[in-house]
Amino acid sequence: MGRRAGFLLPGLPQLLRGRVLGGGFALFLWLGLLTLAVTRFDRVRGALLGDLDDWIALLTLAMVLGGVWLWSFRAGRRSMVTGRGSGEGSPGALGQGWRAFRRNRMALLGLGTICLFYLAMLLTPFLAPFEPEFREAYEVGGDMTRRLAAPSSVHLMGTDEFSQDILSRILYGSRISLTIGLLAVGISVTLGTFLGAIAGYWGGLVDTAIMRLVDMVMAFPRLVLLIVIVALFPTTIFIVIVALAFTQWPSTARMVRGEILALKEREFCEAARALGFSRGRILFRHLLPNALGPLIVVATLGIGNTIVLEAGLSFLGLGVQAGTPSWGSMVSDGRDYLMDAWWVATFPGFAIVLAVLAFNLVGDGLRDALDPRQSEGARR
Amino acid sequence: MSLLEIQKLRTHIRTAGDDARAVDGVDLLLEEGESVGLVGESGSGKTLLALSILGLLPEGGGAILPGSSIRFRGEELVGMGGKRLREIRGGEVAMIFQEPMTSLNPVFSVGNQILEAVELHRPLNRDAAKEEMLRLLGEVGIPDPEARAGDYPHQLSGGMRQRAMIAMALAGEPSLLLADEPTTALDVTVEAQILQLLKRVQARMGMGLLLISHDLNVVSRVCDRILILYGGKVVEAGPTQKILDAPIHPYTRGLMGSRLSFDDRRRTLRPIPGEVPEATDWPRGCRFHPRCPEVMDRCRREEPRLLPGTERKGAVEVQGGAPGGGRDVRCWLLAGEEGGA
Ligand SMILES: Nc1ncnc2c1ncn2[C@@H]1O[C@H](COP(=O)(O)OP(=O)(O)OP(=O)(O)O)[C@@H](O)[C@H]1O
Ligand SMILES: [Mg+2]
């Protein structure tokens, strides 16, 4: 019976078997996306002829629907064979970490929130009730009452001074905020890991050179350095990402260097050398995977941090070009109307807080799960 | 040509103060298929000797001094580097370490780690390498290799981990295996099994074996010849049976007294008094003299040389044996040796 229900309502078999979180989330996703596809059918169909954004949204919709269905179906079948849920079989460090992570409700909540944020970002063309700069209709028609309109059934989060729908702008703005966070951290973690690993493993002059560079970058307050870089170059998204990455990598490098310094004293490193593996291979294939736990933690916390910084830059008018919606610039735009139109700044601010909170919850959860040393220290 | 020929090996370690003269002039000969034991207390330089062979000196200050020579099948290893050295490491000369708990990488399954070693040293394709990995797991006595291959180190017992380490060492089909206290961290029954395993694979593969231990018992169960190391120098060397039957050097006798044997429970444990001094300041004269029960004036002044010998001066308990007898001793008590000065 459970299996047949899984055909129609993915997640339901898991839900019935007591896996409330996984099953509930799957069911919620499935029903939500189906509802979206049905109520916005014209847009979904129109996306076939649309541009890249539309196609991405279309693909996301199809893949998530299919993925949820497949997960539910296969997990259901596996649990019939083994009597246990999925993910029990991997005894590696990351497998263990995931099992510990799963017991942390707050972290799971954060993870779910992050998934929903990114899903919403990808599905923006279907979700957003209006275009981000949709205002002509009102202003041309002379309907100035839509200016700074309070939240209503038409504009769920109200409108701003240009009669633009806030919800739509938050959705479109998430592309800037969420992608920049991800990309900047991706670049900085890659760079920081590479340099930190080399510094820790090779030592000597290489170490000194890299670490002095780290000290130099870290000697400046991050926001000051950011402002200088962004002010020096024409502000494009690219520059903002590079600036964020450039000011972030030193802390990762420092962390990775410390990990590698400790790891290379471990006996398995010497054993690997005695087996004839080259130094590069030992560093990147044998040692670095042992530092993966702390790295994931640093990256996750870093994304939250970067989202705030980007918002801060946009708030100061130093982020992406004016007009392009981004959460930071929306808060900035709304601050003049805080007294009479609180919704203009509040909702985008809320989005920032929620996203950052979610990343921090996940980061802390990962730290507890993957990096017991650090979390012990934190508790002490 | 011998499998391994070490001459006048001196490995020192630079420290803040004086250099630690950890290995200080060791000669060692190991023929193809032979097993030699290296025995000495903690700090006598055993590990450093083995690491020197593979060129794995501690970073920041470990150095093999000029004049030392380590030849593997005639090929000089001292000063060698690069690709050829990496080929030899794990290929022709493999090493297993003392701590099976920490010598395996915790984030990879044991099967993976053995497979990586096989792929590095053997020209096999992926499938053949996998098969070889499973064969190795079976060879070292791990039951149900297919299932165990996916296990991570923390899921295995100490004995099983040491077996996995041995499998990794065997992956390159070495002709010389350096085993640095492979059983010290294990309990007695597991120790016996591992020693038996080492003996078996050594015989089957015709490997040379350098077995390091602080326990004379362990080494005597496996090895043809024994070298006793003290203070970075060989103090006594010879065939296992001769050394067990008639130890000459007071240090060897001390080691015999401090060993617990199964067959002789009445013998009481008599540890050697004192400790091995720091390698940075060995005492003048014979390095063992501060702890030696038979110390003489001369021992404090002059260092004895390593010389062939069969009897102790004025001793009655040691008799016979052909002159020479393949035995070397470094002690002033040695009979027939007066002209050391
Ligand atoms: N990395 C190092 N730095 C400084 N001194 C060292 C280092 N490694 C070894 N030594 C010194 O060299 C000497 C010999 O050390 P070694 O590890 O070879 O002894 P061992 O016989 O293997 O002892 P054990 O039974 O404890 O393993 C010791 O006095 C030790 O203090
Ligand atoms: Mg040692």
Side-chain angles (χ1 to χ4, degrees), chain B residues 103 153 178 237 248 252 263 266 322:
Chain B
S103 318
L178 313 173
I248 293 179
T252 314
D263 38 63
R266 279 163 307 165

Side-chain angles (χ1 to χ4, degrees), chain A residues 276-352:
Chain A
F277 293 110
S278 66
R279 288 168 72 93
R281 178 146 171 181
I282 291 174
L283 174 56
F284 290 107
R285 293 275 307 273
H286 296 206
L287 297 189
L288 214 47
N290 280 280
L292 208 57
L295 254 180
I296 293 175
V297 174
V298 162
T300 315
L301 293 173
I303 295 178
N305 204 358
T306 310
I307 290 176
V308 177
L309 274 172
E310 186 277 326
L313 280 183
S314 298
F315 183 86
L316 295 173
L318 292 167
V320 288
Q321 280 121 330
T324 319
S326 110
W327 295 347
S329 61
M330 289 172 75
V331 174
S332 170
D333 292 343
R335 83 200 136 151
D336 296 337
Y337 308 103
L338 263 182
M339 286 303 152
D340 5 86
W342 55 268
W343 52 89
V344 181
T346 306
F347 286 115
F350 202 58
I352 296 172

